[in-house]
Structures are given as C-alpha cells and as structure tokens.
Amino acid sequence: MYTPAIVALVFAMVQIVAGHGLVTSPAPRGPGPLMKAACGQGIYNTLSSDPYGNVQGALQNRGTDYNASECKMNLCKGSQLESGGPVQNWSAGTNVSVKVDIKAPHTGVANVNIVNYQTGAKLATLMSWSDYASNSHTIPANQTSFSVTIPPVSNCTVPGTCVMQWWWDAHSINQTYISCVDFTQ
Ligand SMILES: *[C@@H]1O[C@H](CO)[C@@H](O)[C@H](O)[C@H]1NC(C)=O
Ligand SMILES: *[C@@H]1O[C@H](CO)[C@@H](O)[C@H](O)[C@H]1NC(C)=O
Ligand SMILES: *[C@@H]1O[C@H](CO)[C@@H](O)[C@H](O)[C@H]1NC(C)=O
Ligand SMILES: *[C@@H]1O[C@H](CO)[C@@H](O)[C@H](O)[C@H]1NC(C)=O
Ligand SMILES: *[C@@H]1O[C@H](CO)[C@@H](O)[C@H](O)[C@H]1NC(C)=O
Ligand SMILES: *[C@@H]1O[C@H](CO)[C@@H](O)[C@H](O)[C@H]1NC(C)=O
C-alpha cells in the first residue's frame, strides 16, 4: 500500500531522473546576481540549487519578478554574463574541445550554435544530432566529448554579446537543457 507521500516522492524522483545535462568545459555561464535580477528569485533559486535543471522546470517556479525579455530563458536558460564570468577569446578557426556532462539521459535532439545573445540571432550551427542522449541505447562518446571549429563571426568583440550555445531538447518530456559559453572574436 503506497501512501500519497510515497507516491509523490516517487513521482518527484521520476521527474528528477527524467534528464539532466550541462556543458562542463569550456566554462559556461552559471547562476549569479545578474540572473536573479533578470529572471527573479524563483528561477534563480531553482537553477542555483540545480544548475543541471531544465528550462520548463525553472519556468514553473517563476514569480512576479520574472522578466521574460531580460531573462531570455530560451537562449541561455536565464544565465547572464556575470561579473568576472569566464569569456573565451576565439579567433576564426580555433578548434575548441567541448565536454558535456549528461547526469541522466533522455532521448532528444541537440545542437551547438553560435548565437548573438543581444539580438537572439543564430549565426552558425556547428553540431547537430537527431538522436541525442538516448536512454534506449548507449550514448556515443562523441555526444559528450567533441570538438568544434569556430567560424568567423561579426559583432562579437564585446563580452556578453556572443555565446556558443549547447541546446538539448527532450521533446517527449518537454524538457530543454541549455548551456552558454561566452566568447569574443
Ligand atoms: C512545455 O512547457 C512549457 C513551459 O512550462 C509550457 O508552456 C508548454 O505548454 C509545455 N508543452 C507541452 C507540450 O507540455
Ligand atoms: C522588462 O525588461 C525590459 C527590458 O529591459 C524592460 O523594458 C521592461 O520595463 C521590464 N518589465 C518590467 C515589468 O520590469
Ligand atoms: C582577442 O584576441 C585578439 C587576437 O589575439 C586580440 O586582438 C583581441 O584584443 C582579443 N580580445 C579580447 C577581448 O581579449
Ligand atoms: C580538433 O582537435 C582534436 C583534438 O584535440 C582533434 O581530434 C580534431 O581532429 C581537431 N579538429 C580539427 C577540425 O582540426
Ligand atoms: C560518433 O560516433 C559514432 C559511433 O559511436 C559514429 O557512428 C558517428 O559517426 C560519430 N559521429 C561523429 C560526428 O563523429
Ligand atoms: C552587426 O551589426 C551591424 C550594426 O549593428 C548590423 O547591421 C549587422 O547586421 C550585424 N551583423 C550580424 C551578423 O549580426
């Protein structure tokens, strides 16, 4: 006989293992005071307690202090270039080694893009997977450790303007995971 509390706990655990991932190298944007200012306390609390969390889960915890146009959830999962935050300086042709930590897989699609964070424009797609982080077969090693070649880009001289965006969408469970690495060129 399962009590409602146990059912709720098991349901919560299923939610937690539904998917989880983050770029670990190069160092991505993370939660900080600018995220809190842009996205509000609820989203900040959710993502600082679990930086691996997903866009939809964070949005469920948004409060009245959430500002969609400041937070830009769908670009960098609310993360901003925090004070002293890491910024790479990549000339065109730089070969960048990328590491992704998939804590819990869930079948989806993924891309690695160059995005102008200020305008939202996608400047390039460097990688694309139609079957990413599957939980029905072993994840190929080249989905979590791979290299990309940085293309020539415009308007990326000011830190905070351009990011390398890793975007993983597990559509069947409506969970999207995003990491952003700031760079200049
Ligand atoms: C996915 O999550 C978003 C944000 O919570 C919600 O607006 C949307 O309706 C959801 N879509 C589906 C298909 O559940
Ligand atoms: C949300 O942010 C935008 C852009 O900075 C700003 O123009 C707008 O006034 C803000 N909205 C609220 C309710 O604070
Ligand atoms: C990035 O590197 C280039 C070439 O080495 C240099 O000219 C430029 O000043 C650097 N930019 C930053 C923001 O460090
Ligand atoms: C980038 O570097 C890795 C090793 O660090 C290498 O395996 C890969 O072939 C390189 N890619 C290009 C396009 O040079
Ligand atoms: C990734 O590795 C798999 C084998 O595990 C291979 O079939 C596939 O072509 C590789 N993809 C890339 C982009 O290197
Ligand atoms: C770069 O900025 C200029 C001036 O704001 C703009 O006209 C141009 O479309 C931008 N280019 C890109 C690739 O964003």
Side-chain angles (χ1 to χ4, degrees):
M1 182 73 192
Y2 296 109
T3 68
I6 290 174
V7 171
L9 179 64
V10 169
F11 184 71
M13 288 167 74
V14 167
Q15 297 267 297
I16 287 164
V17 299
H20 258 57
L22 193 72
V23 167
T24 55
S25 180
R29 292 182 175 189
L34 293 181
M35 174 195 271
K36 194 198 279 190
C39 302
Q41 188 79 50
I43 288 174
Y44 170 75
N45 288 352
T46 304
L47 292 174
S48 54
S49 68
D50 182 10
Y52 284 73
N54 62 74
V55 165
Q56 293 81 0
L59 281 174
Q60 278 168 8
N61 295 326
R62 69 184 178 274
T64 51
D65 53 356
Y66 165 68
N67 185 325
S69 59
E70 290 276 328
C71 185
K72 303 186 183 182
M73 273 306 271
N74 294 321
L75 280 188
C76 290
K77 210 175 74 178
S79 61
Q80 314 290 317
L81 176 57
E82 299 287 342
S83 174
V87 181
Q88 313 295 320
N89 188 16
W90 289 329
S91 55
T94 301
N95 179 346
V96 175
S97 169
V98 181
K99 307 284 183 212
V100 178
D101 185 17
I102 304 288
K103 269 193 177 167
H106 203 287
T107 309
V109 299
N111 292 312
V112 175
N113 305 303
I114 302 293
V115 172
N116 184 313
Y117 182 74
Q118 300 304 327
T119 65
K122 190 184 287 189
L123 306 180
T125 295
L126 309 181
M127 298 289 278
S128 183
W129 292 272
S130 56
D131 177 28
Y132 191 78
S134 176
N135 45 12
S136 63
H137 59 81
T138 304
I139 302 172
N142 58 16
Q143 295 192 353
T144 52
S145 178
F146 53 88
S147 55
V148 296
T149 302
I150 302 301
V153 287
S154 302
N155 300 349
C156 294
T157 56
V158 177
T161 309
C162 292
V163 295
M164 184 182 76
Q165 175 204 58
W166 167 85
W167 181 89
W168 166 31
D169 186 40
H171 187 67
S172 65
I173 52 169
N174 198 23
Q175 293 187 359
T176 310
Y177 300 84
I178 308 174
S179 292
C180 283
V181 175
D182 283 279
F183 76 99
T184 55
Q185 183 180 104

